[in-house]
Coordinates of all heavy atoms in Angstrom, one line a residue:
M171 N 0.9 -1.2 0.0 CA 0.0 0.0 0.0 C 0.9 1.2 0.0 O 1.8 1.4 0.9 CB -0.8 0.0 1.3 CG -1.8 -1.1 1.3 SD -3.3 -0.9 0.3 CE -4.2 0.2 1.3
T172 N 0.7 2.1 -0.9 CA 1.4 3.4 -0.9 C 0.4 4.5 -1.0 O -0.6 4.4 -1.7 CB 2.4 3.5 -2.2 OG1 1.5 3.3 -3.3 CG2 3.4 2.4 -2.1
E173 N 0.6 5.5 -0.2 CA -0.1 6.7 -0.3 C 0.6 7.9 -0.7 O 1.7 8.2 -0.3 CB -0.7 7.0 1.1 CG -1.7 6.1 1.6 CD -2.6 6.6 2.8 OE1 -2.4 7.8 3.1 OE2 -3.2 5.8 3.4
P174 N 0.2 8.6 -1.8 CA 0.9 9.7 -2.2 C 0.9 10.8 -1.3 O 0.0 11.1 -0.5 CB 0.1 10.1 -3.5 CG -1.3 9.5 -3.3 CD -1.1 8.3 -2.5
T175 N 2.1 11.5 -1.2 CA 2.1 12.6 -0.3 C 2.6 13.8 -1.0 O 3.3 14.7 -0.5 CB 3.3 12.3 0.8 OG1 4.5 11.9 0.2 CG2 2.9 11.1 1.7
T176 N 2.0 14.0 -2.2 CA 2.5 15.0 -3.0 C 2.3 16.4 -2.5 O 3.1 17.3 -2.6 CB 1.6 15.0 -4.4 OG1 1.3 13.7 -4.6 CG2 2.4 15.7 -5.5
A177 N 1.3 16.6 -1.7 CA 0.9 18.0 -1.2 C 1.8 18.4 0.0 O 1.8 19.5 0.3 CB -0.6 18.0 -0.9
S178 N 2.3 17.3 0.6 CA 3.0 17.7 2.0 C 4.1 18.6 1.9 O 4.4 19.4 2.9 CB 3.5 16.3 2.6 OG 4.4 15.7 1.7
I179 N 4.8 18.7 0.8 CA 6.0 19.5 0.7 C 5.7 20.9 0.1 O 6.4 21.9 0.2 CB 7.1 18.8 -0.1 CG1 7.6 17.7 0.7 CG2 8.1 19.8 -0.6 CD1 8.6 16.9 0.1
A180 N 4.6 21.0 -0.7 CA 4.3 22.2 -1.4 C 4.3 23.4 -0.6 O 4.9 24.4 -1.1 CB 2.9 22.0 -2.1
G181 N 3.8 23.3 0.6 CA 3.7 24.6 1.3 C 5.1 25.1 1.7 O 5.3 26.3 1.9
L182 N 6.0 24.2 1.8 CA 7.4 24.6 2.2 C 8.0 25.4 1.0 O 9.1 26.1 1.3 CB 8.2 23.5 2.7 CG 7.7 22.6 3.8 CD1 8.5 21.4 3.9 CD2 7.7 23.5 5.0
L183 N 7.6 25.2 -0.2 CA 8.4 25.6 -1.3 C 7.8 26.7 -2.0 O 8.2 27.1 -3.1 CB 8.6 24.4 -2.2 CG 9.2 23.2 -1.7 CD1 9.2 22.0 -2.6 CD2 10.7 23.5 -1.3
A184 N 6.8 27.3 -1.5 CA 6.0 28.3 -2.4 C 6.8 29.4 -2.9 O 6.5 29.7 -4.1 CB 4.8 28.8 -1.5
D185 N 7.8 29.8 -2.2 CA 8.5 31.0 -2.7 C 9.7 30.8 -3.5 O 9.9 31.4 -4.5 CB 9.0 31.8 -1.4 CG 7.8 32.4 -0.6 OD1 6.7 32.6 -1.3 OD2 7.9 32.6 0.5
T186 N 10.5 29.8 -3.2 CA 11.8 29.6 -3.8 C 11.9 28.4 -4.6 O 13.0 28.1 -5.2 CB 12.9 29.5 -2.7 OG1 12.6 28.4 -1.9 CG2 12.9 30.8 -1.9
S187 N 10.9 27.6 -4.8 CA 11.0 26.4 -5.5 C 11.2 26.6 -7.0 O 10.8 27.7 -7.5 CB 9.8 25.5 -5.3 OG 8.7 26.3 -5.8
P188 N 11.9 25.7 -7.7 CA 11.9 25.7 -9.1 C 10.6 25.5 -9.7 O 9.8 24.8 -9.1 CB 12.8 24.6 -9.5 CG 12.8 23.6 -8.3 CD 12.5 24.5 -7.1
Y189 N 10.3 26.2 -10.8 CA 8.9 26.2 -11.3 C 9.0 25.5 -12.7 O 9.8 25.9 -13.6 CB 8.3 27.5 -11.3 CG 6.9 27.5 -12.0 CD1 5.8 27.1 -11.1 CD2 6.6 27.8 -13.2 CE1 4.6 27.0 -11.5 CE2 5.3 27.7 -13.7 CZ 4.3 27.4 -12.9 OH 3.0 27.3 -13.4
L190 N 8.1 24.5 -12.9 CA 8.0 23.8 -14.2 C 6.8 24.4 -14.9 O 5.8 24.6 -14.3 CB 7.8 22.4 -14.0 CG 9.0 21.5 -13.3 CD1 8.5 20.1 -13.2 CD2 10.2 21.6 -14.3
S191 N 6.9 24.5 -16.2 CA 5.7 24.7 -17.0 C 5.0 23.4 -17.2 O 5.6 22.3 -16.9 CB 6.2 25.2 -18.4 OG 6.8 24.2 -19.1
C192 N 3.8 23.5 -17.7 CA 3.0 22.2 -17.9 C 3.7 21.4 -18.9 O 3.7 20.2 -18.8 CB 1.6 22.7 -18.3 SG 0.5 23.1 -16.9
D193 N 4.2 22.0 -19.9 CA 5.0 21.2 -20.9 C 6.1 20.4 -20.3 O 6.4 19.2 -20.5 CB 5.5 22.1 -22.0 CG 4.5 22.5 -23.0 OD1 3.4 21.8 -23.0 OD2 4.7 23.4 -23.8
D194 N 6.9 21.1 -19.4 CA 8.1 20.5 -18.8 C 7.5 19.4 -17.9 O 8.1 18.2 -17.7 CB 8.8 21.5 -17.9 CG 9.5 22.5 -18.7 OD1 9.9 22.1 -19.9 OD2 9.8 23.6 -18.2
C195 N 6.4 19.6 -17.2 CA 5.8 18.6 -16.3 C 5.4 17.4 -17.1 O 5.7 16.3 -16.6 CB 4.7 19.3 -15.6 SG 3.8 18.2 -14.4
F196 N 4.8 17.7 -18.2 CA 4.2 16.4 -18.9 C 5.5 15.6 -19.6 O 5.4 14.4 -19.7 CB 3.3 16.9 -20.1 CG 1.9 16.9 -19.7 CD1 1.3 18.0 -19.0 CD2 1.1 15.8 -20.0 CE1 0.0 17.9 -18.6 CE2 -0.2 15.8 -19.6 CZ -0.8 16.9 -18.9
D197 N 6.5 16.4 -19.8 CA 7.7 15.6 -20.3 C 8.2 14.6 -19.3 O 8.8 13.6 -19.7 CB 8.8 16.7 -20.6 CG 8.6 17.2 -22.0 OD1 7.8 16.8 -22.8 OD2 9.4 18.3 -22.3
R198 N 8.0 15.0 -18.0 CA 8.7 14.2 -17.0 C 7.7 13.3 -16.1 O 8.1 12.6 -15.3 CB 9.3 15.2 -16.0 CG 10.5 15.9 -16.7 CD 10.9 17.1 -15.7 NE 11.4 16.8 -14.5 CZ 12.0 17.6 -13.6 NH1 12.2 18.8 -14.0 NH2 12.4 17.2 -12.4
I199 N 6.4 13.5 -16.5 CA 5.4 12.9 -15.5 C 5.4 11.5 -15.6 O 5.2 10.8 -14.5 CB 4.0 13.5 -16.0 CG1 3.0 13.4 -14.7 CG2 3.4 12.9 -17.2 CD1 1.8 14.3 -14.8
D200 N 5.6 10.8 -16.8 CA 5.6 9.4 -16.7 C 6.8 8.9 -15.9 O 6.6 7.9 -15.0 CB 5.8 8.9 -18.1 CG 4.6 9.0 -19.0 OD1 3.7 9.8 -18.6 OD2 4.7 8.5 -20.2
E201 N 7.9 9.4 -16.1 CA 9.1 8.9 -15.3 C 8.9 9.2 -13.8 O 9.2 8.4 -13.0 CB 10.3 9.7 -15.8 CG 11.6 9.3 -15.1 CD 12.8 10.1 -15.5 OE1 12.6 10.8 -16.5 OE2 13.9 10.0 -14.8
Y202 N 8.3 10.3 -13.5 CA 8.1 10.7 -12.2 C 7.2 9.7 -11.5 O 7.5 9.2 -10.3 CB 7.6 12.1 -12.1 CG 7.1 12.5 -10.7 CD1 8.0 12.8 -9.7 CD2 5.7 12.6 -10.5 CE1 7.6 13.2 -8.4 CE2 5.3 13.0 -9.2 CZ 6.2 13.3 -8.2 OH 5.7 13.7 -6.9
V203 N 6.0 9.5 -12.0 CA 5.0 8.6 -11.5 C 5.5 7.2 -11.3 O 5.3 6.6 -10.3 CB 3.7 8.6 -12.3 CG1 2.7 7.6 -11.8 CG2 3.0 10.0 -12.2
E204 N 6.2 6.7 -12.3 CA 6.7 5.3 -12.3 C 7.8 5.3 -11.1 O 7.8 4.2 -10.4 CB 7.4 4.9 -13.6 CG 6.5 4.6 -14.7 CD 7.2 4.1 -15.9 OE1 8.3 3.5 -15.8 OE2 6.6 4.4 -17.0
R205 N 8.6 6.2 -11.0 CA 9.7 6.3 -10.0 C 9.0 6.3 -8.6 O 9.5 5.7 -7.6 CB 10.6 7.4 -10.2 CG 11.8 7.4 -9.4 CD 13.1 7.5 -10.2 NE 14.2 7.4 -9.3 CZ 15.3 8.0 -9.5 NH1 15.4 8.8 -10.4 NH2 16.3 7.8 -8.6
R206 N 8.0 7.1 -8.5 CA 7.3 7.2 -7.2 C 6.8 5.9 -6.8 O 6.7 5.5 -5.6 CB 6.1 8.2 -7.3 CG 6.6 9.7 -7.4 CD 7.0 10.3 -6.1 NE 5.7 10.4 -5.3 CZ 5.7 11.0 -4.1 NH1 6.8 11.5 -3.6 NH2 4.6 11.1 -3.4
L207 N 6.3 5.0 -7.7 CA 5.7 3.8 -7.4 C 6.8 2.8 -7.0 O 6.6 2.0 -6.1 CB 4.9 3.3 -8.6 CG 3.6 4.0 -8.8 CD1 2.8 3.5 -10.1 CD2 2.6 3.9 -7.6
D208 N 8.0 2.9 -7.8 CA 9.0 2.1 -7.5 C 9.8 2.3 -6.2 O 10.2 1.5 -5.4 CB 10.1 2.1 -8.6 CG 9.5 1.3 -9.8 OD1 8.6 0.6 -9.7 OD2 10.1 1.5 -11.0
E209 N 9.9 3.7 -5.9 CA 10.5 4.1 -4.7 C 9.7 5.1 -4.0 O 9.6 6.2 -4.2 CB 11.8 4.9 -5.1 CG 12.9 4.1 -6.0 CD 14.0 5.1 -6.4 OE1 14.4 5.8 -5.7 OE2 14.3 4.9 -7.6
P210 N 9.0 4.5 -3.0 CA 8.0 5.3 -2.2 C 8.6 6.6 -1.6 O 7.9 7.6 -1.4 CB 7.5 4.4 -1.2 CG 7.6 3.1 -1.7 CD 8.9 3.1 -2.6
G211 N 9.9 6.7 -1.4 CA 10.5 7.8 -0.8 C 11.1 8.8 -1.8 O 11.6 9.8 -1.5
Y212 N 10.9 8.4 -3.1 CA 11.5 9.3 -4.1 C 10.7 10.6 -4.1 O 9.5 10.8 -4.0 CB 11.4 8.6 -5.5 CG 11.8 9.5 -6.6 CD1 13.2 9.8 -6.8 CD2 10.9 10.0 -7.4 CE1 13.5 10.6 -7.8 CE2 11.3 10.9 -8.5 CZ 12.6 11.1 -8.7 OH 13.0 11.9 -9.8
E213 N 11.6 11.8 -4.2 CA 10.9 13.1 -4.4 C 11.6 13.8 -5.5 O 12.8 13.8 -5.7 CB 11.1 13.8 -3.0 CG 10.4 13.1 -1.9 CD 10.3 13.9 -0.6 OE1 11.2 14.9 -0.5 OE2 9.5 13.6 0.2
D214 N 10.8 14.6 -6.2 CA 11.2 15.5 -7.2 C 10.5 16.8 -6.8 O 9.3 17.0 -7.1 CB 10.9 15.0 -8.6 CG 11.4 15.8 -9.7 OD1 11.4 17.1 -9.5 OD2 11.7 15.3 -10.7
L215 N 11.3 17.7 -6.2 CA 10.6 18.9 -5.7 C 9.9 19.7 -6.8 O 8.9 20.3 -6.6 CB 11.7 19.7 -4.9 CG 12.2 19.0 -3.7 CD1 13.2 20.0 -3.0 CD2 11.1 18.6 -2.8
A216 N 10.6 19.8 -7.9 CA 10.0 20.6 -9.0 C 8.7 20.1 -9.5 O 7.7 20.8 -9.6 CB 11.0 20.7 -10.1
M217 N 8.7 18.7 -9.6 CA 7.4 18.1 -9.9 C 6.3 18.3 -9.0 O 5.2 18.6 -9.2 CB 7.6 16.6 -10.2 CG 8.4 16.3 -11.5 SD 7.6 16.8 -13.0 CE 6.2 15.6 -13.0
Q218 N 6.7 18.0 -7.7 CA 5.8 18.0 -6.6 C 5.2 19.4 -6.4 O 4.0 19.6 -6.2 CB 6.4 17.5 -5.3 CG 6.6 16.1 -5.3 CD 7.5 15.5 -4.2 OE1 8.6 15.2 -4.3 NE2 6.9 15.5 -3.0
T219 N 6.0 20.4 -6.6 CA 5.5 21.7 -6.5 C 4.5 22.1 -7.6 O 3.5 22.7 -7.4 CB 6.7 22.7 -6.6 OG1 7.6 22.4 -5.5 CG2 6.2 24.2 -6.4
H220 N 4.9 21.6 -8.8 CA 3.9 22.0 -9.9 C 2.6 21.2 -9.8 O 1.6 21.8 -9.9 CB 4.7 21.5 -11.3 CG 3.8 21.9 -12.5 ND1 3.9 23.1 -13.1 CD2 2.8 21.2 -13.0 CE1 2.9 23.2 -14.1 NE2 2.3 22.0 -14.1
L221 N 2.7 19.9 -9.4 CA 1.6 19.2 -9.2 C 0.7 19.7 -8.1 O -0.6 19.6 -8.2 CB 1.9 17.6 -8.9 CG 2.5 17.0 -10.1 CD1 3.0 15.5 -9.6 CD2 1.7 16.9 -11.3
A222 N 1.3 20.2 -7.1 CA 0.5 20.8 -6.0 C -0.3 22.0 -6.4 O -1.3 22.3 -5.8 CB 1.4 21.1 -4.7
G223 N 0.2 22.7 -7.4 CA -0.4 24.0 -7.8 C -1.2 23.9 -9.1 O -1.7 24.9 -9.5
C224 N -1.1 22.8 -9.7 CA -1.7 22.6 -11.1 C -2.6 21.5 -11.1 O -2.2 20.3 -11.1 CB -0.6 22.5 -12.1 SG -1.3 22.4 -13.8
G225 N -3.9 21.7 -11.1 CA -4.9 20.6 -11.0 C -4.9 19.7 -12.2 O -5.0 18.5 -12.1
A226 N -4.7 20.3 -13.4 CA -4.6 19.5 -14.6 C -3.6 18.4 -14.6 O -3.8 17.3 -14.9 CB -4.5 20.4 -15.9
C227 N -2.3 18.9 -14.2 CA -1.2 18.0 -14.1 C -1.4 17.0 -13.0 O -1.0 15.8 -13.1 CB 0.1 18.7 -14.0 SG 0.5 19.6 -15.6
A228 N -1.9 17.5 -11.9 CA -2.1 16.6 -10.8 C -3.2 15.5 -11.1 O -2.9 14.3 -10.8 CB -2.7 17.4 -9.6
D229 N -4.2 15.8 -11.8 CA -5.2 14.8 -12.4 C -4.5 13.7 -13.3 O -4.6 12.6 -13.2 CB -6.3 15.5 -13.2 CG -7.3 16.1 -12.2 OD1 -7.2 15.9 -11.0 OD2 -8.2 16.8 -12.7
E230 N -3.5 14.3 -14.1 CA -2.8 13.4 -15.1 C -2.0 12.5 -14.3 O -1.9 11.3 -14.6 CB -2.0 14.3 -16.0 CG -1.2 13.5 -17.0 CD -2.0 12.9 -18.1 OE1 -3.3 13.3 -18.3 OE2 -1.6 11.9 -18.8
A231 N -1.2 13.0 -13.3 CA -0.4 12.2 -12.5 C -1.2 11.1 -11.8 O -0.8 10.0 -11.6 CB 0.4 13.0 -11.5
L232 N -2.3 11.4 -11.2 CA -3.1 10.5 -10.5 C -3.7 9.4 -11.4 O -3.7 8.3 -11.1 CB -4.3 11.3 -9.9 CG -5.1 10.5 -8.8 CD1 -4.2 10.2 -7.6 CD2 -6.3 11.3 -8.3
A233 N -4.1 9.8 -12.6 CA -4.6 8.9 -13.6 C -3.4 7.9 -14.0 O -3.7 6.7 -14.0 CB -5.1 9.6 -14.8
L234 N -2.3 8.4 -14.2 CA -1.1 7.5 -14.6 C -0.8 6.6 -13.4 O -0.5 5.4 -13.6 CB 0.1 8.4 -14.8 CG 0.4 8.7 -16.2 CD1 1.5 9.9 -16.3 CD2 0.8 7.6 -17.0
Q235 N -0.8 7.2 -12.2 CA -0.5 6.3 -11.0 C -1.5 5.2 -10.9 O -1.1 4.0 -10.7 CB -0.5 7.2 -9.8 CG -0.1 6.4 -8.5 CD 0.0 7.3 -7.3 OE1 0.6 8.4 -7.4 NE2 -0.6 7.0 -6.2
E236 N -2.8 5.5 -11.0 CA -3.8 4.5 -11.0 C -3.6 3.4 -12.1 O -3.7 2.2 -11.9 CB -5.2 5.1 -11.0 CG -5.5 5.8 -9.7 CD -6.8 6.5 -9.7 OE1 -7.4 6.6 -10.8 OE2 -7.2 7.1 -8.7
L237 N -3.2 3.9 -13.3 CA -3.0 3.0 -14.4 C -1.9 2.1 -14.1 O -2.0 0.8 -14.2 CB -2.7 3.8 -15.6 CG -2.9 3.2 -16.9 CD1 -4.4 3.0 -17.2 CD2 -2.3 4.1 -18.1
L238 N -0.8 2.6 -13.6 CA 0.4 1.7 -13.3 C 0.1 0.8 -12.1 O 0.6 -0.3 -12.1 CB 1.6 2.6 -13.0 CG 2.1 3.5 -14.2 CD1 3.1 4.5 -13.8 CD2 2.7 2.5 -15.2
D239 N -0.6 1.3 -11.2 CA -1.0 0.5 -9.9 C -1.8 -0.7 -10.4 O -1.7 -1.8 -9.7 CB -1.8 1.3 -9.0 CG -1.0 1.8 -7.9 OD1 0.1 1.3 -7.6 OD2 -1.5 2.7 -7.1
Q240 N -2.6 -0.6 -11.4 CA -3.4 -1.7 -11.8 C -2.8 -2.6 -12.9 O -3.5 -3.3 -13.6 CB -4.8 -1.1 -12.3 CG -5.5 -0.6 -11.2 CD -6.7 0.3 -11.6 OE1 -7.1 0.3 -12.7 NE2 -7.2 1.2 -10.6
R241 N -1.5 -2.4 -13.2 CA -0.8 -3.3 -14.2 C -1.1 -4.8 -13.8 O -0.9 -5.2 -12.7 CB 0.7 -3.0 -14.2 CG 1.2 -1.9 -15.0 CD 2.5 -1.7 -14.9 NE 3.0 -1.4 -13.6 CZ 4.2 -0.9 -13.4 NH1 5.1 -0.7 -14.3 NH2 4.6 -0.7 -12.1
P242 N -1.6 -5.5 -14.8 CA -1.8 -6.9 -14.5 C -0.5 -7.6 -14.3 O 0.5 -7.4 -15.0 CB -2.5 -7.4 -15.8 CG -2.1 -6.4 -16.9 CD -1.9 -5.1 -16.1
G243 N -0.5 -8.4 -13.3 CA 0.7 -9.2 -13.1 C 0.9 -10.3 -14.1 O 0.0 -10.6 -14.8
P244 N 2.1 -10.9 -14.1 CA 2.4 -11.9 -15.1 C 1.6 -13.3 -14.8 O 1.2 -13.4 -13.7 CB 3.9 -12.2 -14.9 CG 4.2 -11.7 -13.6 CD 3.3 -10.6 -13.3
Ligands
LIG279 ZN1 0.6 21.8 -15.1

């Protein structure tokens, strides 16, 4: 069982965090979501900050995560 903690860090980074555009976010979102599932402790501050502030990308990340979570086993 893994629970996403995307929002937990966002508040800390509001002022000084790196900011991604939605295009940048989408370029990295597959890798980010897969890595989060493989390594529950993995953090990408730029991604997490963008996802915390961008509902469209957050929805995309969540959909991807659910898709990967439901991968049929061998
Ligand atoms: Zn976005």
Side-chain angles (χ1 to χ4, degrees):
M171 297 283 282
T172 56
E173 286 195 15
T175 56
T176 327
S178 57
I179 287 178
L182 302 172
L183 300 174
D185 292 334
T186 58
S187 59
Y189 182 78
L190 294 177
S191 70
C192 283
D193 281 347
D194 290 337
C195 182
F196 267 86
D197 280 347
R198 295 164 62 170
I199 201 165
D200 286 11
E201 182 186 350
Y202 171 74
V203 171
E204 281 183 33
R205 188 129 183 216
R206 291 274 295 183
L207 290 173
D208 286 345
E209 303 174 39
Y212 175 73
E213 296 189 341
D214 183 326
L215 296 183
M217 289 293 292
Q218 287 171 256
T219 301
H220 184 89
L221 293 175
C224 179
C227 290
D229 281 352
E230 180 71 16
L232 193 64
L234 264 173
Q235 182 175 312
E236 287 176 353
L237 202 71
L238 293 172
D239 255 346
Q240 291 165 14
R241 275 180 298 197

